[in-house]
Structures are given as structure tokens and as C-alpha cells.
Amino acid sequence: MGDLFEPYCGGLTGWTRAWDEMFERCPGTTGTLDGGGPLSPRQHYLPLHHALGALSASDVEARCAARDRSFRDQGITFSLSGEERPFPLDLVPRVIPADEWETVRSGVVQRVRALEAFLADIYGPGRIFDDGVVPRRLVQSSPHFHRQAANFSPPNGVRVQVAGIDLVRDAQGRYRVLEDNLRTPSGISYVIENRRAMTHVFPELFGSYRVRAVADYPAHLLAALRAAAPAHAGDGATVAVLTPGVHNSAYFEHSFLARQMGVALVEGRDLVCRQGVVYMRTTSGEERVDVIYRRVDDEYLDPLQFRPGSLLGCPGLLNAARAGNVTLANAVGNGVADDKAIYPRVPDLVRYYLGEEPVLANVDTYVLEDPGQCAHVLEHLDELVLKPVDGSGGYGLVIGPQATDEELSVLAAKVRANPRGWIAQGVVQLSTSPTYTGQAFEPRHIDLRPFAVNDGEKVWVVPGGLTRVALPRGSLVVNSSQGGGSKDTWVLAPTGQARERLAASGRHDYDGTAGRPRPAPVGPVAAGLVGQQQQQQQQQQQGQPRSACDRHPPC
């Protein structure tokens, strides 16, 4: 291995037994990722590892400087502690093979369908309460259950136009769902811009891969929003993106999506509701709005229904939606479905509404309203992770093994006072991936947020999603709001039998690649790619073994 991969030589001594995305233990050896055994790149990472291994630290630093300049010039920033900074993008992409992605995609689609059915049921007939699958009290005690959304069905029946499902890998490499985001999930703009940046900063890395494209997400989103428009709008529905304003940490994403979809970006002060119809103020006068893709939380959306002092929304929006004159996407009240107290029951929702077994399992979770489970958790606070059920962005999270005695004492008092307000999970050792730290490629913990778009006919999952990375060594908190970064996520197009199976199933969305001419590789990366390709050809001709360890000797 090259010097930049030196931290991986010797087997990552001192690291936990996390699944590493790029490296695996060589067959027939006794070492582990954390125990000093020999490691070798996984099969689908071989070209990337070979190319990166040809670089020096100065080469990578130059690429990092080009990335930061590009992000600053385009205004691709994220607000952290009140400071605008370039969104942290690590230059080592995450690579997901086609068959692995198909499991992720089908699991996300299944979960979104079940949660969509759950929302329609709890705000409508309530069959799930009558059948005893979920207690009515659990749902109606959620701070995100809004009676204003009851007995109302959106025009095409879709409440979840956009979903972000957070996934992690356990120590065996299995994907598990960590949480659901059905209100205003953010991050898709960085998925698209990360890919754009990588094609400019590291174009030669794409030479050995058929990477599926992510740039058509805005087109899918716009189609889903127009499909949700009220009947009066016809084919020419007017769509607007509602933002809290320039001081919101995700404002770049709001403006990016509005620009990419070719629709208006508005604030609450730009809207007016008159006789149950919503208009936006423009330079040419008022224009009727049919669909509002709102990035404002429920509580601030309509001061007549929620917080009366809110200036972020517009008075009368909910009444206009209930009258069928405008569609709010995502729908008001969705937060009850991503309440973390509901999360442990989502596998039961899949079975109840779809009659299927969950494709993606949950992380094992303690329900603290159960006295026995609560007592066990209180006795083992220093071994578990506790989360407030209405928290997001990593706020309020307590990682027991890293907490002080005082913090655990305060936490125990909070749990005893309000068991409904918390869930507990074992410490999930998120998978690791090589990440450039300024001197070398070192392992850092990552997760994955795939984004799904529901147009009422089908649920489409963008082939990639946002891979978030915890930048401090040993940290398990990947949230951007807590100082985390991201990686470009490469989903590989299927080949051979996998491609034939997907074609036979009638799906036509599996082969979209980056959609651009592949640039001629140059510099040290090019030399690495060419050498690796020649090695592959020679081995194929000579019938040599193709395992990762045979093709690339360990450290």
C-alpha cells in the first residue's frame, strides 16, 4: 500500500470491530480489522484503492484546495455555530455494488410504503388502533401528531413526497435502519453537488467504474410535486419552495432545488391566503400557487393553527389545503411517523399494511414505556445510547460510554420523569471508510441517507444518497449540524446476470450512469488506473485467482 494508507497497515490496531467499507481480512488469516491481521481491499474497491495509492499527500492537498475553492465560488456552504463554511466533502468516495444497492433500494421503498399507509390510517379510519397493533395513546401523545391533519386526504393520497431513511451497517456488514425522516429531510443538494465536485476535482477516478447518475433528482421531485397538485391545476400546476429564509442552515439546499426545478423560492412574507386560495407576490402581481414544497416545520407553518407569533409561514395555509386548493408537501403531521417511539414498531407496520417481512431490519431498541425494559436501561446507562423521541440532527443524543457520571445522573432523572420521551439502543459501531485527515487516509465512521420520492404511482430512490462521515477520530456522530462531513456515494450500474434480472423485471431506472464522456486519465492517478487495468487483463488471460487478497497483497 502507499504511504497514505499507512494507518490501515497492520490491521487498524486500537479500532473497534466495525465493518470497513474498503478493506477486509484476507481469507485464511486470523487477524481482524482491529487486531493486527493483514487486510486487503474489497473486490469493488480495487481500482479506487490502486488509484489513490499512487498519490502523494501534496497531490491530495491540491485536490482538497480545488474542492474548497469550487464550493466557495458556488456558495455551497453549511452553517455551523453561526459560521458559513464549505460543506465538508471527503475525496474518498463510498462504492456500493449493484446487488447490494438493490437490497437497500427495495428496503427503503418498502418502508416508505408502510409509513405512508400508517399516516393515512392514523389520520383516518384508525384500523391499526382497533386491531391492537399500535396503541392509540402512543400515537396521539406524540408532539408531532396534529389533529389539524385528521380526516383529510391529500389530492393524490400522498403524504410523504420525500423521505430520507438513515441506514447504518452493523459489524457483520448488514444494513439496518437507524431512523426515518418524513418531515423535511435535507441533504440531497449535497449529494448532487458532491458528485459534480468529484467529477471536476478527481475526474480520472471515474475511469474504472460505471457510476449511476444522481443529477436527475430535481426532475423526479418536480414530477412528484405536480402529481400531487389539486385537480383544478391540471398539467400546469404552479409549484413554489417555501424556505424559512437566508439564515436557515439548509438555505443553500432550498435555493438549489428551486433553481434546479425552475420554480419560485418564497418566504412566508411572499405568500398571502385569501378566501382559501394561496397566492405568491411577484413583480408582475399575485400568482396562484398550487403546490408548496415547504421546508418550514409544522409548528411555524400557519400561525392560525400553530405558533401564533410565527412569521415563517402564512396564515390560512392549512385551511387552504383542507379545502383542496393547495397541496403542502410533505404533509402536516408526518412527524408522528418518524417519532422515535414509533420507530421500534415500524417492522410491525410493514407486516400489518403490506403483508411482507421487512427487507431492512431496525437497530435493536428498548421501549422505555415498558417498565421492565426501562429498569434494565437505567441499570446500564453507561453502555447504551439514549435519544429523545422528538430529537433530530444529533441534538439531545447521549452516548453512555462517552458520558460523565454527572451527565448520566441527569439523564436518569429525565428518563424516570418521562419514559415516553426516550428510546435506548446499544452502541452501534457504524461502519468505517478511509477518510483523508490531512496526513493520511484513516478510518472514520459513516452512515447513509438514501432519498426516496413518491409520486403516488411508485417510490423512486435516488441511486446514491448522502454518506455522512464523523470527522473526529472515534466519533459516532455524523450529523452535519454536529460538525460531520460527507462523501460522494457511488452506486454501480449492474452488469451480467444482475442486469438481465432487472431488465426482465421491467425496471428501466437501473442503468443511468454519470452521463458524460469519461475524461482521459492524467497524472499519478492515471498511472495507477492503467496499471491496475493491465493487471486485470493479464490475470484474466492467465486464469489467475480474482480474490482481493490474491490480486493485491496485504500490508
Side-chain angles (χ1 to χ4, degrees):
M1 294 184 185
D3 291 341
L4 291 178
F5 283 102
E6 186 64 30
Y8 278 89
C9 295
L12 302 180
T13 301
W15 276 81
T16 55
R17 293 177 181 270
W19 176 276
D20 191 80
E21 299 290 336
M22 181 180 282
F23 290 94
E24 63 182 344
R25 185 182 66 183
C26 288
T29 64
T30 57
T32 63
L33 291 184
D34 67 332
L39 307 175
S40 189
R42 300 183 189 277
Q43 187 75 31
H44 54 283
Y45 271 101
L46 276 168
L48 179 63
H49 171 264
H50 202 97
L52 293 175
L55 297 175
S56 66
S58 60
D59 293 329
V60 179
E61 287 291 342
R63 312 278 182 147
C64 290
R67 169 204 62 197
D68 291 344
R69 283 195 305 271
S70 174
F71 277 8
R72 285 196 187 95
D73 291 346
Q74 297 179 68
I76 304 172
T77 61
F78 189 89
S79 177
L80 181 65
S81 301
E83 178 184 352
E84 290 290 330
R85 62 169 185 165
F87 191 73
L89 167 64
D90 182 64
L91 295 182
V92 182
R94 177 186 200 159
V95 182
I96 302 178
D99 56 346
E100 191 175 290
W101 176 253
E102 182 58 21
T103 299
V104 170
R105 186 204 65 81
S106 60
V108 168
V109 169
Q110 180 191 62
R111 201 166 178 104
V112 171
R113 290 172 54 219
L115 290 170
E116 183 77 65
F118 172 67
L119 287 167
D121 191 14
I122 64 171
Y123 286 117
R127 292 185 298 108
I128 199 166
F129 304 138
D130 298 336
D131 293 339
V133 179
V134 173
R136 186 184 300 270
R137 173 188 49 79
L138 181 67
V139 169
Q140 297 186 350
S141 63
S142 170
H144 302 296
F145 177 80
H146 296 309
R147 299 182 186 278
Q148 296 91 331
N151 301 314
F152 163 68
S153 179
N156 67 339
V158 176
R159 287 176 166 80
V160 186
Q161 279 81 9
V162 180
I165 309 297
D166 292 348
L167 308 179
V168 297
R169 276 202 207 247
D170 61 19
Q172 289 72 45
R174 294 171 300 197
Y175 284 101
R176 290 178 177 264
V177 178
L178 187 63
E179 64 180 49
D180 306 292
N181 299 276
L182 307 181
R183 286 172 278 174
T184 55
S186 64
I188 187 61
S189 62
Y190 302 113
V191 174
I192 298 171
E193 290 295 351
N194 284 353
R195 177 64 52 81
R196 186 177 300 173
M198 287 293 292
T199 59
H200 284 90
V201 175
F202 254 139
E204 55 269 48
L205 289 184
F206 291 83
S208 294
Y209 291 98
R210 298 184 68 246
V211 183
R212 294 182 59 186
V214 296
D216 53 350
Y217 175 90
H220 284 272
L221 175 59
L222 181 60
L225 295 174
R226 285 185 168 152
H232 73 261
D235 295 332
T238 299
V239 178
V241 177
L242 175 61
T243 176
V246 296
H247 299 294
N248 185 269
S249 61
Y251 180 75
F252 166 77
E253 175 156 305
H254 307 163
S255 60
F256 173 87
L257 289 174
R259 184 171 63 253
Q260 292 294 312
M261 291 190 292
V263 303
L265 178 67
V266 299
E267 298 181 26
R269 60 187 175 182
D270 300 318
L271 299 177
V272 59
C273 187
R274 187 182 305 112
Q275 296 181 339
V277 178
V278 180
Y279 302 89
M280 63 179 173
R281 298 183 176 96
T282 72
T283 55
S284 57
E286 293 181 352
E287 181 179 352
R288 183 168 180 171
V289 179
D290 304 306
V291 181
I292 297 175
Y293 177 46
R294 50 97 177 198
R295 299 297 295 263
V296 174
D297 291 342
D298 289 355
E299 292 74 15
Y300 299 91
L301 190 60
D302 186 341
L304 295 182
Q305 302 289 342
F306 302 112
R307 293 196 178 192
S310 173
L311 300 177
L312 301 181
C314 173
L317 280 184
L318 250 63
N319 287 338
R322 294 185 65 90
N325 293 325
V326 70
T327 297
L328 301 177
N330 285 351
V332 169
N334 281 9
V336 66
D338 58 31
D339 185 311
K340 293 179 178 62
I342 298 296
Y343 163 87
R345 301 175 184 269
V346 174
D348 292 333
L349 303 185
V350 172
R351 299 182 185 100
Y352 179 76
Y353 289 112
L354 307 182
E356 302 169 358
E357 283 300 309
V359 175
L360 298 172
N362 277 8
V363 172
D364 295 337
T365 302
Y366 295 94
V367 179
L368 301 191
E369 280 198 305
D370 181 299
Q373 295 188 45
C374 187
H376 174 83
V377 167
L378 288 170
E379 292 176 3
H380 298 86
L381 284 179
D382 59 340
E383 303 171 10
L384 301 170
V385 176
L386 273 84
K387 302 176 180 179
V389 297
D390 59 347
S392 62
Y395 292 107
L397 178 77
V398 180
I399 301 176
Q402 300 176 6
T404 65
D405 290 341
E406 182 179 355
E407 289 170 335
L408 292 177
S409 177
V410 171
L411 175 63
K414 291 180 178 178
V415 170
R416 290 190 182 97
N418 181 23
R420 164 65 174 82
W422 296 84
I423 62 167
Q425 298 172 332
V427 178
V428 180
Q429 293 299 338
L430 313 183
S431 62
T432 58
S433 176
T435 301
Y436 187 66
T437 61
Q439 294 149 351
F441 296 124
E442 296 184 10
R444 292 293 185 268
H445 291 292
I446 62 174
D447 76 350
L448 174 64
R449 175 177 288 183
F451 291 88
V453 176
N454 184 4
D455 64 5
E457 297 292 331
K458 66 176 182 178
V459 178
W460 175 80
V461 183
V462 61
L466 182 64
T467 291
R468 301 181 296 180
V469 54
L471 296 176
R473 179 181 174 88
S475 173
L476 296 172
V477 181
V478 300
N479 304 81
S480 303
S481 56
Q482 303 293 306
S486 68
K487 290 174 174 285
D488 191 11
T489 307
W490 291 7
V491 172
L492 305 184
T495 57
Q497 293 181 350
R499 180 186 175 93
E500 293 174 3
R501 285 195 301 271
L502 289 173
S505 71
R507 283 187 49 210
H508 304 287
D509 61 344
Y510 59 84
D511 200 28
T513 53
R516 67 196 180 295
R518 288 179 179 164
V522 294
V525 174
L529 288 171
V530 172
Q532 195 272 338
Q533 292 167 351
Q534 291 176 344
Q535 181 183 9
Q536 289 180 5
Q537 293 172 357
Q538 292 172 2
Q539 289 179 342
Q540 291 172 3
Q541 293 170 358
Q542 297 170 10
Q544 295 181 14
R546 294 182 56 85
S547 74
C549 290
D550 287 336
R551 295 179 60 180
H552 190 96
C555 294

